[in-house]
């Protein structure tokens, strides 16, 4: 066991909320230590529907505060990370017998007007007989509404917040579990365990942030030692990925007969993403898995709309995650609030803790600002809110300049195939140049593990983004897992064990 200096803030959890808070705090001058027990974004933050959205549906539950804040975030986040976030238009077919057209129009009117929309285009009505969006759908859907929201690569948003926090001086540890946190007067003593080696270590901090997502109550009771805590309702949500069902760049918003909705979204160039579900969950969130009933539900719901039904055999991948919703006592999982709640304990001689419950990817930056207000209430003010105008790593180019950025990369590296240049810009933005370095040909990028995943990219992810296993690279830092065969993935795994071993040896 080794001693370490006293940090201002210790953050438990490397999901979007933990990494967002760490980044904001270190940027204001606090010293920050963050521990994530698995990989960054390995919890809920890689399993979302990946929308930067106000949440049209939440208007039905009168969540005006949340919807307004989330709508305002759309353009702020896009501006700061135009590589991994972009605008998307959504087509909402009018379906007879479900929500009346006047209600949808009213919702979309509010959506267009309460959220400070400047760049995103407004809602319009579509005649589906003449619009290409009508083509893949059954002909009975004759009218639709088209509105704006945004798309985000959720797992990369987490990694980039962690990267920026580390660039500004935060310590970020992955595969490091907080096994115990005890108050000793004005300080916390936090015991950590490396989940790969079993080694333990103690860190001291003035304030603890509990951003453990679906584990937040578990951390409070088992790790911090508070009894009988119940703050979150765990709600499972699953998605299916099928081969591309339509060519249009727009996504669909389908209403279901049970009052719920699902999305069908263009995904990773060659696929369509369909989701999600809402069902209460119990157990360890790490074990969450799509059920047969969820698969049937998603296939049936999408088949109500698409002219060609969606079948089980179309599915190429599924993923599931658990929402840590603040338990407001709603009767149905889909009605539980999506807003976030921060709760504090301690202060005045007792080391403080701030817990975060609920929230959306979309509102993580605002949640972090609210968290910093609480933190500054305990530790004193250090700096002003700053993240609204600060690009994330690789996002330092104009919001509407993505294609120009791809062209610049092609000019600098003429040997790059157009698809690869686009993919690298989408993932790394201006930092694609760091990854490519002095390369003058594909051969300079090293081994190709399949689907143009080169050694240079893998090494970049190990050195800069805490990637340690093939799964980190294939399913969180990239989605190359959709393209690589089992054998190719195994070869990458073998290669990565080699580099991880060398990294550990070098550090010792
Ligand atoms: C199906 C689904 C769809 C969604 N769709 C959207 C959407 O389209 N748009 C949107 O804005 N939001 C969406 N959300 C919500 C959003 O994904 C979550 O609100 C957000 O990801 C929660 O992030 P988090 O950081 O709180 O939790 P997490 O991402 O789960 O992070 C918590 C982390 O804490 C770590 N941890 C736990 N205990 C310990 C410990 N003892 N020591 C160290 N680390 C620990 C975990 O490993 C985990 O990585 C969706 C959620 C789901 C489930």
């Amino acid at each position: 066991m080794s001693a370490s200096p006293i940090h201002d803030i210790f953050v438990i959890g490397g999901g979007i909320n933990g990494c967002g808070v760490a980044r904001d705090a270190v940027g204001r001058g606090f010293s920050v230590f963050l521990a994530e027990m698995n990989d960054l974004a390995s919890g809920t933050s890689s399993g979302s529907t990946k929308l930067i959205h106000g949440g049209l549906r939440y208007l039905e539950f009168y969540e005006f505060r949340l919807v307004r804040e989330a709508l305002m975030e759309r353009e702020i986040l896009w501006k700061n990370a135009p590589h991994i976030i972009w605008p998307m238009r959504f087509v909402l077919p009018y379906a007879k017998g479900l929500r009346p057209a006047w209600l949808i129009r009213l919702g979309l009117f509010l959506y267009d007007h309460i959220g400070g929309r400047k760049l995103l285009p407004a809602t319009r009505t579509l005649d589906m007989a003449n619009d290409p969006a009508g083509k893949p759908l059954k002909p009975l859907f004759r009218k639709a509404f088209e509105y704006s929201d945004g798309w985000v690569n959720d797992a990369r948003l987490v990694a980039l917040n962690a990267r920026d926090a580390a660039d500004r001086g935060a310590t970020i540890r992955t595969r490091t579990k907080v096994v115990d946190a005890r108050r000793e007067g004005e300080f916390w003593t936090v015991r950590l365990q490396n989940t790969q080696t079993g080694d333990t270590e103690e860190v001291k901090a003035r304030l603890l942030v509990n951003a453990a997502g679906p584990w937040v109550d578990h951390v409070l009771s088992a790790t911090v030692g508070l009894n009988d805590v119940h703050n979150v309702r765990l709600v499972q949500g699953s998605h299916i990925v099928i081969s591309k069902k339509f060519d249009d760049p727009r996504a669909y918003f389908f209403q279901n007969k049970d009052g719920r909705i699902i999305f069908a979204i263009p995904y990773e160039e060659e696929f369509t993403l369909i989701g999600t579900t809402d069902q209460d969950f119990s157990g360890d969130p790490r074990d969450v898995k799509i059920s047969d009933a969820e698969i049937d539900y998603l296939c049936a719901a999408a088949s109500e709309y698409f002219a060609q039904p969606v079948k089980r055999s179309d599915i190429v991948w599924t993923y599931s995650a658990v929402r840590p919703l603040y338990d407001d006592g709603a009767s149905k999982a889909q009605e539980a609030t999506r807003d976030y709640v921060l709760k504090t304990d301690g202060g005045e001689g007792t080391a403080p803790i701030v817990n975060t419950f609920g929230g959306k990817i979309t509102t993580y930056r605002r949640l972090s600002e609210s968290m910093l207000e609480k933190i500054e209430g305990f530790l004193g003010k250090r700096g002003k809110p700053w993240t609204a105008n600060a690009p994330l790593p690789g996002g330092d180019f104009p919001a509407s300049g993505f294609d120009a950025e791809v062209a610049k990369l092609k000019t600098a590296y003429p040997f790059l195939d157009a698809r690869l240049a686009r993919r690298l810009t989408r993932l790394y933005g201006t930092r694609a140049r760091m990854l490519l370095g002095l390369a003058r040909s594909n051969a300079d990028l090293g081994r190709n593990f399949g689907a143009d995943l080169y050694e240079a990219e893998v090494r970049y992810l190990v050195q800069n983004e805490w990637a340690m296993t093939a799964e980190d690279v294939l399913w969180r830092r990239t989605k190359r897992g959709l393209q690589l065969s089992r054998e190719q993935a195994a070869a990458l795994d073998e290669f990565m064990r080699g580099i991880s071993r060398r990294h550990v040896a070098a550090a010792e």
Side-chain angles (χ1 to χ4, degrees):
M1 232 181 252
S2 59
S4 62
I6 297 174
H7 289 81
D8 291 324
I9 302 167
F10 190 101
V11 181
I12 306 177
I16 191 56
N17 290 326
C19 292
V21 168
R23 175 186 186 231
D24 192 339
V26 73
R28 295 190 199 207
F30 291 102
S31 60
V32 178
F33 193 118
L34 179 147
E36 162 54 50
M37 65 180 171
N38 188 9
D39 181 27
L40 294 172
S42 56
T44 309
S45 297
S46 57
S48 80
T49 310
K50 309 177 202 309
L51 303 181
I52 293 294
H53 65 157
L56 186 57
R57 197 178 61 81
Y58 311 146
L59 288 173
E60 289 183 327
F61 304 114
Y62 310 112
E63 298 236 33
F64 295 113
R65 194 213 75 80
L66 169 67
V67 175
R68 185 174 144 72
E69 183 175 289
L71 286 171
M72 309 267 289
E73 279 302 282
R74 294 178 306 182
E75 293 189 19
I76 295 175
L77 297 179
W78 174 28
K79 182 184 68 185
N80 287 319
H83 46 338
I84 59 159
I85 293 175
W86 59 91
M88 194 173 262
R89 297 286 283 172
F90 288 76
V91 174
L92 192 173
Y94 167 71
K96 248 195 175 148
L98 301 180
R99 288 167 188 85
W102 68 263
L103 184 65
I104 300 175
R105 268 201 208 96
L106 175 65
L108 287 169
F109 177 82
L110 287 174
Y111 214 70
D112 269 354
H113 291 92
I114 65 173
R117 184 179 53 82
K118 292 193 189 88
L119 302 173
L120 296 171
T123 297
R124 62 185 190 123
T125 307
L126 304 181
D127 168 5
M128 296 291 262
N130 296 314
D131 192 287
K135 260 198 155 167
L137 304 190
K138 292 177 178 167
L140 66 105
F141 299 104
R142 299 154 71 108
K143 186 160 94 177
F145 303 93
E146 184 189 305
Y147 70 95
S148 288
D149 258 330
W151 167 264
V152 60
N153 184 328
D154 53 3
R156 290 206 57 70
L157 186 67
V158 178
L160 296 185
N161 271 277
R163 183 64 262 157
D164 200 47
D167 287 348
R168 293 171 191 272
T171 302
I172 308 284
R173 290 274 184 83
T174 63
R175 266 79 188 195
T176 302
K177 182 171 181 175
V178 176
V179 288
D180 187 55
R182 295 283 161 233
R183 282 176 162 131
E184 285 169 14
E186 296 193 352
F187 300 107
W188 287 97
T189 298
V190 183
R191 197 149 61 83
L192 307 176
Q193 182 162 45
N194 182 314
T195 57
Q196 292 178 319
T197 62
D199 292 348
T200 61
E201 142 181 38
E202 274 185 5
V203 173
K204 285 198 188 305
R206 294 187 169 82
L207 182 144
L208 199 60
V209 168
N210 178 5
W215 292 268
V216 66
D217 280 345
H218 178 79
V219 163
L220 263 179
S221 50
T223 315
V224 178
L226 303 178
N227 292 326
D228 283 341
V229 284
H230 177 81
N231 299 286
V232 287
R233 177 171 184 172
L234 300 183
V235 176
Q236 165 168 354
S238 295
H239 293 81
I240 57 174
V241 174
I242 59 174
S243 303
K244 201 164 162 174
K245 191 82 183 155
F246 52 90
D247 280 321
D248 205 275
R250 290 168 289 183
Y252 292 96
F253 177 119
F254 295 147
Q255 309 178 66
N256 307 343
K257 291 192 178 121
D258 61 3
R260 295 192 66 261
I261 58 114
I262 59 161
F263 294 96
I265 306 170
Y267 187 57
E268 294 288 320
E269 312 282 341
E270 294 161 40
F271 302 94
T272 300
L273 172 63
I274 299 176
T276 180
T277 54
D278 279 277
Q279 65 179 45
D280 283 309
F281 177 87
S282 58
D284 186 340
R286 193 177 266 198
D287 301 329
V288 65
K289 197 168 162 280
I290 194 165
S291 66
D292 280 345
E294 285 179 299
I295 294 182
D296 289 343
Y297 177 86
L298 291 173
C299 289
S303 301
E304 286 283 326
Y305 285 84
F306 285 118
Q308 297 297 322
V310 175
K311 302 188 289 294
R312 259 172 187 269
S313 53
D314 297 336
I315 298 174
V316 295
W317 185 50
T318 67
Y319 64 87
S320 303
V322 177
R323 302 173 182 89
L325 303 182
Y326 183 67
D327 195 352
D328 59 356
S331 55
K332 290 188 193 159
Q334 77 218 51
E335 290 172 5
T337 181
R338 264 52 176 172
D339 212 344
Y340 53 84
V341 173
L342 306 179
K343 282 192 184 171
T344 64
D345 183 65
E348 296 182 4
T350 313
I353 179 167
V354 192
N355 303 284
T356 167
F357 309 110
K360 307 278 301 167
I361 297 261
T362 308
T363 49
Y364 87 94
R365 200 193 62 79
R366 297 285 287 133
L367 181 153
S368 303
E369 286 183 343
S370 303
M371 177 75 86
L372 261 293
E373 265 176 41
K374 304 264 185 220
I375 291 173
E376 289 180 335
F378 290 114
L379 301 184
K381 241 185 155 41
R382 292 280 173 89
K384 289 195 184 113
W386 61 278
T387 54
N389 292 306
L392 282 161
D396 47 344
F397 63 90
S400 52
F402 179 76
D403 289 335
E405 212 43 49
V406 177
K408 275 198 228 161
L409 193 69
K410 276 278 300 158
T411 309
Y413 297 91
F415 67 90
L416 284 182
D417 157 70
R419 275 171 80 99
L420 181 58
R422 205 176 163 76
R423 185 173 78 75
L424 294 179
T425 308
R426 267 281 169 248
L427 295 183
Y428 309 104
T430 55
R431 291 206 176 184
R433 287 148 198 265
M434 269 172 75
L435 184 160
L436 293 165
L438 298 175
R440 285 289 161 263
S441 68
N442 278 344
D444 291 340
L445 300 179
R447 180 167 165 191
N448 183 349
F449 291 96
D452 281 349
L453 176 69
Y454 287 94
E455 192 175 329
E457 186 173 353
V458 175
R459 286 187 185 280
Y460 175 87
L461 291 172
V462 170
Q463 283 157 12
N464 297 284
E465 294 196 6
W466 298 271
M468 292 188 186
T469 67
E471 191 186 315
D472 301 350
V473 169
L474 293 179
W475 294 108
R476 283 183 287 274
R477 304 307 181 281
T478 77
K479 286 287 182 288
R480 291 287 90 186
L482 285 166
Q483 311 281 350
L484 263 62
S485 68
R486 205 180 281 254
E487 293 70 33
Q488 288 171 320
L492 174 65
D493 203 43
E494 184 67 20
F495 173 80
M496 289 201 62
R497 278 174 211 273
I499 358 184
S500 297
R501 264 200 303 275
R502 281 201 294 285
H503 265 255
V504 172
E508 279 168 357

